[in-house]
Amino acid sequence: MENNRTDRQPRTVDFSLFDQIEKAVPAYDLDKAIQKRDYRIDLTQHYADAEYLLTVDGIGMLAKGDIQAVKGKAKQGKTFFITALVAAVLNGKFGALKASGEDYRVLIVDTEQNMKNVARNARKIHRLCGWPENENHPRFSAVALSGYNTDERREILEGEIALLKPDLVILDGIKDLCRNIMDNPESTDVLDLLSRLSQDNNTAICCILHENKSSTDSNMRGHLGTELINKCTEEYQVTKKDNVITIEQTVSRDAPLYDKLEFTIEEDGMPSEIAIAIKTHKNSIRKTIAKTDYWRQFFINQSSYTRKELHRIIMESGEKNRTNAYAKIRAGLNEGKLTIDEKQIITLTQKEDSI
């Protein structure tokens, strides 16, 4: 059926932006890339720990230089979760989410929605940050790429990252960088591109992808989903029941986040402050960490630890389960037996009744 609509407005394109992108993104030269990259491990060098943009009660989220994944069924609240994440990164705090630094820059790349809807979501983030909703902010940018083809989207993504130097990139619609999410080679190419961009620019790239449609299958869709789970360092699942949206970290290659995050959607469409919904740990763990004597054994010869160091010591003391070792640290902090400072250094809490 012929479409006779005459009310469509032609899309205006700012070609100067493409000139800027061409200057910002040099032609990819494999030989130069190999020379530039320091891919051989040198054990005489110090390799810094992951730099996380956010923490939840001391546990890091969104590591710079890595890829993260957010998954969920359709209309389960993934966009609301992203809104809260971005507001926390830009504004320093949102509920339980706390930024690890200041003046972070964020880029949202939306490949699915039209410009009106992307702008509406961007204004929500401005509102949460206390910024004017009708003004741009130098630390936050959003682009709408639903009207572009696959190759153009990839080029614009690379160009915007080169221009803006963001600390966090939200890629809402990774599937639209791929012509066929069931194609294994093409899915690998997309993840190779994102891995290169995240590492070369030291930025966290958080990708959003739907789960399979079956109610019993929570895997991300297609070969693209398989490649994403292979490459990502963190995966978060978003579910919704009634008006409560719950976020659970389902994959972590470093310190896992044991707490679920929950928030509700207000009448104006804004997420409420995120609250921690602490999982119930085994009673044996809680009984163990409740005893100050349990912790004293680790601080006889050393007065302080990073979380990783303390985890290693607990494992060496006889704990066989990595998850339980992290759970003990969390419970020790919650029970007040351990203290953690702003540099994430853990010490034994000094109290008169525990000496």
Side-chain angles (χ1 to χ4, degrees):
M1 179 177 179
E2 185 177 357
N3 190 342
N4 295 320
R5 284 187 58 184
T6 60
D7 58 343
R8 286 186 176 176
Q9 297 297 318
R11 184 178 66 198
T12 59
V13 179
D14 181 3
F15 289 98
S16 65
L17 175 61
F18 291 91
D19 292 335
Q20 295 177 52
I21 288 176
E22 276 195 10
K23 293 177 181 178
V25 184
Y28 189 70
D29 187 315
L30 181 59
D31 292 333
K32 289 182 179 179
I34 291 175
Q35 292 174 15
K36 178 183 176 182
R37 285 176 179 272
D38 203 2
Y39 55 82
R40 180 170 288 135
I41 300 299
D42 183 355
L43 296 182
T44 68
Q45 301 298 313
H46 171 70
Y47 295 96
D49 290 337
E51 180 184 352
Y52 292 100
L53 296 175
L54 293 174
T55 62
V56 176
D57 203 11
I59 301 293
M61 294 177 62
L62 304 181
K64 294 179 66 175
D66 284 324
I67 298 172
Q68 297 82 33
V70 173
K71 68 177 184 178
K73 304 295 185 186
K75 308 302 180 184
Q76 289 295 295
K78 295 183 292 295
T79 299
F80 288 94
F81 174 44
I82 292 302
T83 299
L85 280 183
V86 172
V89 170
L90 291 172
N91 204 37
K93 185 178 185 297
F94 188 84
L97 299 168
K98 296 181 180 179
S100 303
E102 298 179 351
D103 298 327
Y104 287 138
R105 299 169 67 89
V106 176
L107 167 66
I108 292 181
V109 178
D110 193 306
T111 65
E112 298 181 347
Q113 301 187 85
N114 59 37
M115 297 191 76
K116 178 183 69 175
N117 290 338
V118 175
R120 182 179 60 198
N121 290 333
R123 289 192 173 97
K124 288 182 180 179
I125 292 170
H126 272 234
R127 201 182 317 166
L128 289 172
C129 292
W131 300 342
E133 295 182 39
N134 58 347
E135 297 178 12
N136 296 317
H137 196 280
R139 293 196 290 113
F140 173 58
S141 297
V143 296
L145 303 184
S146 62
Y148 294 83
N149 65 40
T150 303
D151 291 333
E152 289 171 336
R153 290 178 186 128
R154 294 185 190 183
E155 183 178 354
I156 293 172
L157 169 67
E158 187 167 0
E160 289 290 323
I161 292 175
L163 285 171
L164 300 171
K165 307 296 183 186
D167 298 283
L168 172 63
V169 177
I170 300 295
L171 180 51
D172 194 349
I174 181 178
K175 71 177 181 62
D176 292 315
L177 298 186
C178 206
R179 294 176 183 84
N180 180 3
I181 65 172
M182 299 304 296
D183 185 87
N184 207 355
E186 188 177 12
S187 299
T188 300
D189 288 345
V190 170
L191 267 300
D192 285 346
L193 170 65
L194 296 180
S195 294
R196 175 169 62 83
L197 292 177
S198 63
Q199 294 174 35
D200 287 354
N201 297 279
N202 192 31
T203 184
I205 300 182
C206 184
C207 306
I208 301 175
L209 185 62
H210 287 307
E211 294 176 358
N212 289 316
K213 293 182 178 180
S214 171
S215 60
T216 59
D217 187 353
S218 62
N219 293 309
M220 292 185 286
R221 292 183 185 177
H223 287 299
L224 183 63
T226 301
E227 286 299 313
L228 180 54
I229 194 62
N230 288 338
K231 290 290 180 68
C232 74
T233 57
E234 305 163 46
E235 180 192 68
Y236 299 90
Q237 183 180 38
V238 182
T239 57
K240 181 180 178 182
K241 184 176 181 180
D242 298 327
N243 198 41
V244 177
I245 295 173
T246 301
I247 298 94
E248 181 175 6
Q249 187 186 72
T250 47
V251 170
S252 174
R253 293 189 182 177
D254 201 348
L257 180 68
Y258 291 104
D259 299 332
K260 293 181 180 180
L261 302 174
E262 292 183 347
F263 63 94
T264 58
I265 303 172
E266 301 298 330
E267 292 183 0
D268 60 356
M270 300 290 286
S272 68
E273 282 201 352
I274 293 178
I276 294 179
I278 300 177
K279 290 183 179 179
T280 302
H281 298 302
K282 294 179 180 179
N283 290 333
S284 59
I285 293 178
R286 291 200 174 277
K287 290 178 181 178
T288 298
I289 58 85
K291 301 175 182 178
T292 305
D293 288 344
Y294 172 78
W295 293 112
R296 281 186 180 147
Q297 62 180 311
F298 304 122
F299 291 89
I300 294 175
N301 298 317
Q302 187 168 331
S303 60
S304 63
Y305 297 92
T306 64
R307 193 181 295 264
K308 280 186 177 180
E309 291 170 340
L310 185 54
H311 178 269
R312 176 176 56 81
I313 294 297
I314 293 173
M315 293 292 291
E316 290 176 354
S317 72
E319 175 58 64
K320 303 299 183 184
N321 187 295
R322 285 175 52 83
T323 299
N324 285 349
Y326 277 119
K328 287 178 179 178
I329 297 173
R330 274 298 316 277
L333 291 167
N334 289 338
E335 294 288 339
K337 305 302 179 182
L338 301 176
T339 301
I340 189 168
D341 63 17
E342 66 277 2
K343 295 182 179 180
Q344 304 300 302
I345 300 299
I346 297 175
T347 57
L348 184 66
T349 302
Q350 298 298 320
K351 294 182 180 180
E352 292 183 3
D353 60 355
S354 63
I355 298 176

